[in-house]
Amino acid sequence: MTDTSFADLGVTEPLQRALQAENYTSPTPIQAQAIPHLLAGKDLLGVAQTGTGKTAAFTLPILQQLAANRGERAGRGAARALILAPTRELAIQIGDAIRTYGRHLNLRHTVVVGGVGQQPQVRALSRGVDILVATPGRLLDLVNQGHVRLKSASILVLDEADRMLDMGFIRDVRKIITALPRDRQSLLFSATMPADVARLANEILRDPIRIEVSPKTITVDKVEQHVYFVDAVSKRALLIDLLRDPALARVIVFTRTKHGANKVSEHVGKAGITTEALHGNKSQGARQQALARFRAGKARVLVATDIAARGIDVDGITHVINFELPNEPESYVHRIGRTARAGAAGIALSFCDSSERSHLRGIERLTKRPLGVAGDRRTHKEGPHTPQADRKATGKKTPRNRRQFRNGRPRRAA
Ligand code: AMP
């Protein structure tokens, strides 16, 4: 995060309001560096990974510019801005970001991806859109069938260009670019800059600003990370067990769903631990209040969903607990980045049941290091897990309140 505000960067009020609702208190470094140049119409070469806030860095200026030139409404079958992304998931995510940030602007956008029927996409395009987000293959199909005209698209974004080329989209991308006007603003983002990406950047960008931000994984190194292999049904008991240790002084627990956040928070509350839930079903006021209580130390535990936790900037978080593992590895990096802020050390504990093994693998692939296995395998082992099964396996009664921690650090697996 940076010291500047979105207003300092020239972001207009309707966008600021949407960002406040998302709890984005200040711009990320790539946003602070890119937004003023993009609002001034410059081309941009961004070397940045996902997790840096790059989506908002390009989406906000696009929304703002298109809203300012409302007179230039897109004609039938036309788009005013085009964002190309390599995968369906990323395209959908960008579409969601546009909806979120642009909610007070009344601009039209649509997402065009393969693997689904094209008819609804053709219908959406026929009315004309302000922003078109697309994967290259399907877009080229629709261009060739005459359903989209790109001659009036004045802004082009290529997101994750290196992945786009890895996936063999280079020819499609080149063809699409020839359908765009020469006079346009172009942005290219890529996590890496191999020669073929640099060549493409050279071809499509004019005198670009170059911005490079270091990947978020650097923060990850400061966080001590452990995983507990545990059955889904034993997670609540494990959580309460861990929270018995006062060293877990200020804890964020992440759940996958809003409903899950409520349930877990209730359970923690029943164990006599002060807690608040934070999720998108709560009003803005209720969210602010929950956060304020957590920040002030009146609630020791905050149970949150990924979306609600975006932008939470609370100092002194001692532990992040992933009650459920996120299916997007980048979300894991975000979650654990809530601890170990401002040079402090932090601890992240993840609960992994048998259905989450693939998520764990994805996370370890992204962070490039295996998580330390914590806990007592006997009490929290995977697979069918009942006190009876435990007794059978170990010949001992499962100690119910066995301490999982010593000095705030998990015991190593036996
Ligand atoms: P991206 O790198 O675009 O995938 O963004 C990574 C995550 O950061 C997303 O979950 C965004 O919602 C979130 N995000 C982007 N900008 C900010 C900001 N200024 N403050 C807090 N969260 C942000």
Side-chain angles (χ1 to χ4, degrees):
M1 294 299 140
T2 55
D3 292 336
T4 40
S5 68
F6 283 103
D8 293 338
L9 303 180
V11 171
T12 50
E13 191 277 333
L15 289 168
Q16 286 179 37
R17 236 187 312 149
L19 294 170
Q20 267 155 21
E22 293 303 297
N23 287 319
Y24 288 15
T25 46
S26 56
T28 65
I30 193 168
Q31 291 161 6
Q33 290 172 60
I35 290 173
H37 292 298
L38 293 178
L39 287 174
K42 292 288 294 180
D43 281 9
L44 177 113
L45 175 62
V47 186
Q49 289 187 348
T50 200
T52 52
K54 68 181 163 74
T55 313
F58 64 76
T59 308
L60 294 170
I62 292 177
L63 285 164
Q64 185 159 328
Q65 293 186 82
L66 295 180
N69 303 317
R70 244 172 233 291
E72 305 168 5
R73 276 266 171 219
R76 292 180 66 79
R80 298 171 68 199
L82 171 65
I83 302 172
L84 285 179
T87 63
R88 195 188 136 85
E89 289 70 28
L90 184 62
I92 292 169
Q93 217 171 295
I94 296 169
D96 290 345
I98 293 170
R99 182 178 308 107
T100 306
Y101 307 143
R103 66 166 77 119
H104 304 300
L105 289 179
N106 195 21
L107 292 169
R108 270 213 289 264
H109 80 275
T110 198
V111 178
V112 156
V113 292
V116 292
Q118 75 165 42
Q119 224 31 49
Q121 298 174 354
V122 169
R123 259 200 308 278
L125 286 166
S126 72
R127 301 190 304 157
V129 292
D130 294 297
I131 307 178
L132 169 58
V133 187
T135 49
R138 172 60 63 90
L139 178 62
L140 195 59
D141 279 352
L142 295 181
V143 168
N144 289 339
Q145 294 170 44
H147 292 301
V148 204
R149 283 177 297 111
L150 297 173
K151 268 294 168 228
S152 52
S154 58
I155 307 177
L156 165 71
V157 180
L158 288 189
D159 197 11
E160 304 205 348
D162 49 355
R163 236 165 120 193
M164 202 112 72
L165 300 201
D166 279 350
M167 290 170 72
F169 282 134
I170 183 69
R171 291 184 58 191
D172 289 357
V173 169
R174 285 219 164 87
K175 279 189 198 145
I176 290 166
I177 290 170
T178 59
L180 289 158
R182 281 187 161 277
D183 188 20
R184 57 165 198 261
Q185 183 179 20
S186 307
L187 289 60
L188 183 146
F189 289 87
S190 193
T192 57
M193 221 12 92
D196 51 353
V197 176
R199 206 172 313 123
L200 182 66
N202 238 340
E203 284 168 33
I204 66 171
L205 304 174
R206 278 185 315 196
D207 186 23
I209 301 293
R210 185 185 163 109
I211 295 176
E212 189 159 351
V213 294
S214 49
K216 196 71 183 230
T217 36
I218 285 170
T219 354
V220 173
D221 294 337
K222 286 190 289 178
V223 183
E224 202 180 303
Q225 300 163 62
H226 304 273
V227 61
Y228 286 86
F229 293 110
V230 57
D231 296 330
V233 292
S234 307
K235 286 185 174 185
R236 286 188 191 183
L238 175 60
L239 178 64
I240 301 301
D241 220 12
L242 295 174
L243 289 170
R244 280 187 223 285
D245 190 324
L248 282 81
R250 187 170 286 190
V251 185
I252 298 194
V253 177
F254 281 100
T255 59
R256 217 158 20 218
T257 64
K258 300 167 191 173
H259 181 66
N262 276 339
K263 286 277 173 214
V264 171
S265 183
E266 268 171 36
H267 188 73
V268 170
K270 279 192 189 135
I273 298 160
T274 50
T275 172
E276 288 286 342
L278 188 74
H279 55 70
N281 276 359
K282 289 196 159 182
S283 69
Q284 186 57 24
R287 279 201 255 173
Q288 299 277 323
Q289 204 179 1
L291 206 51
R293 281 178 49 78
F294 181 59
R295 194 172 270 131
K298 289 184 183 147
R300 191 175 144 213
V301 177
L302 184 73
V303 188
T305 56
D306 286 293
I307 311 271
R310 276 177 197 176
I312 293 183
D313 199 358
V314 177
D315 288 334
I317 291 171
T318 58
H319 294 74
V320 167
I321 298 183
N322 294 307
F323 191 84
E324 282 135 1
L325 285 178
N327 48 10
E328 289 273 327
E330 288 82 9
S331 300
Y332 173 83
V333 175
H334 271 281
R335 288 177 176 193
I336 72 166
R338 304 288 130 209
T339 180
R341 296 182 94 81
I347 296 178
L349 308 172
S350 298
F351 297 178
C352 177
D353 66 36
S354 51
S355 70
E356 297 170 306
R357 283 300 189 109
S358 61
H359 301 342
L360 180 64
R361 276 194 295 278
I363 289 164
E364 291 183 332
R365 220 174 293 133
L366 178 73
T367 62
K368 299 203 172 59
R369 62 187 221 190
L371 304 195
V373 178
D376 184 336
R377 278 187 199 276
R378 187 159 41 81
T379 45
H380 296 294
K381 72 176 169 18
E382 268 190 286
H385 172 83
T386 59
Q388 291 83 353
D390 268 351
R391 268 200 297 280
K392 209 162 138 198
T394 64
K396 284 193 200 145
K397 205 170 157 112
T398 306
R400 289 216 60 219
N401 60 353
R402 187 188 166 87
R403 285 283 285 256
Q404 295 293 329
F405 265 76
R406 215 177 264 148
N407 304 326
R409 295 205 147 62
R411 284 168 183 277
R412 281 255 169 258

